[in-house]
Amino acid sequence: MDDLNHVGEKIKTLRHAFGLSAKALASQAGISPGMLSQLEKGSTQGSVETLRKIAKVLNTTIAALFADEPDRDAETTHESFLVVRKDQRTKISFPDPLYKCELLVPDLQGEMEFVLVELEPQRVTDELLPHTRGGEEIDMVLSGTISVQVGEKCYRLEEGDTIRFNPKTPHKIENKTDQKATYISIITPPSF
């Protein structure tokens, strides 16, 4: 099953479990019923923000929408469940070509999200977005300079600088420079 159909089926299953009609879920998530129908049929991917809104209504995470249900009873020590080699990282795709993200953990089934983010030069956005659940987000700049706006305050971070905040607070991370910037982000609980 491809990812689009898998996510769509998961949304539909959760919607039914919550006893919601398609119209009710669309309304609560602030999206059109047509968009929800396309997502459930697997004919569109939907933006990260659209999936985040749906996940919030369904009391889940984006990661859970994409996750295959692992056999939790079968404890494994196979390397692929423990180690992520630099040339085998899972890339998370976004519609924004100036924002690239790679998982630094084998999957998003644990208690935290650990990702490497690359921001191309002049990657700016007007959107201040919260994650669906609170917890902590910690970002450490590996190279370049990023601007992190948390609520009304903006912080300029350079190589080696770190910031910690509640990811439920509306925020955005930008690269307003002419150089590529990379940072490591740790978020708990996972938001993807």
Side-chain angles (χ1 to χ4, degrees):
M1 175 187 322
D2 68 28
D3 283 347
L4 292 180
N5 285 337
H6 177 77
V7 170
E9 287 180 12
K10 202 104 175 235
I11 290 170
K12 191 173 188 176
T13 299
L14 287 169
R15 177 172 63 78
H16 288 164
F18 276 83
L20 293 171
S21 67
K23 187 175 181 180
L25 174 57
S27 175
Q28 289 180 41
I31 63 172
S32 73
M35 170 57 80
L36 179 60
S37 175
Q38 289 178 353
L39 283 166
E40 287 186 351
K41 290 177 185 172
S43 59
T44 188
Q45 180 175 332
S47 69
V48 171
E49 184 55 22
T50 297
L51 294 175
R52 191 172 276 149
K53 289 175 182 178
I54 291 169
K56 183 174 184 179
V57 173
L58 297 174
N59 196 30
T60 190
T61 64
I62 294 174
L65 295 178
F66 282 92
D68 291 326
E69 299 302 324
D71 180 2
R72 291 290 178 197
D73 296 330
E75 193 171 328
T76 182
T77 57
H78 188 275
E79 181 176 301
S80 66
F81 288 91
L82 302 172
V83 177
V84 177
R85 302 287 177 199
K86 66 181 174 183
D87 60 341
Q88 296 175 342
R89 294 180 188 147
T90 300
K91 292 173 180 30
I92 301 172
S93 61
F94 294 94
D96 181 350
L98 301 179
Y99 182 89
K100 296 177 183 146
C101 198
E102 295 181 351
L103 282 182
L104 297 175
V105 289
D107 57 41
L108 290 168
Q109 301 307 305
E111 298 296 316
M112 68 178 65
E113 173 182 312
F114 187 39
V115 295
L116 175 65
V117 180
E118 215 175 79
L119 296 180
E120 294 297 325
Q122 300 303 319
R123 193 278 181 171
V124 295
T125 180
D126 291 330
E127 295 185 79
L128 276 172
L129 302 173
H131 293 287
T132 55
R133 300 178 183 182
E136 284 189 315
E137 177 168 339
I138 301 169
D139 300 311
M140 179 182 170
V141 181
L142 299 177
S143 66
T145 301
I146 62 174
S147 296
V148 181
Q149 184 174 339
V150 180
E152 298 297 317
K153 297 236 356 154
C154 192
Y155 305 92
R156 179 183 165 98
L157 303 179
E158 297 177 349
E159 185 176 324
D161 292 343
T162 304
I163 188 169
R164 180 178 72 177
F165 58 92
N166 183 331
K168 200 169 183 177
T169 304
H171 62 280
K172 65 180 177 179
I173 301 176
E174 301 177 310
N175 179 0
K176 298 178 181 179
T177 74
D178 292 326
Q179 306 282 328
K180 185 187 302 187
T182 58
Y183 65 95
I184 291 177
S185 184
I186 301 170
I187 302 172
T188 182
S191 65
F192 283 121

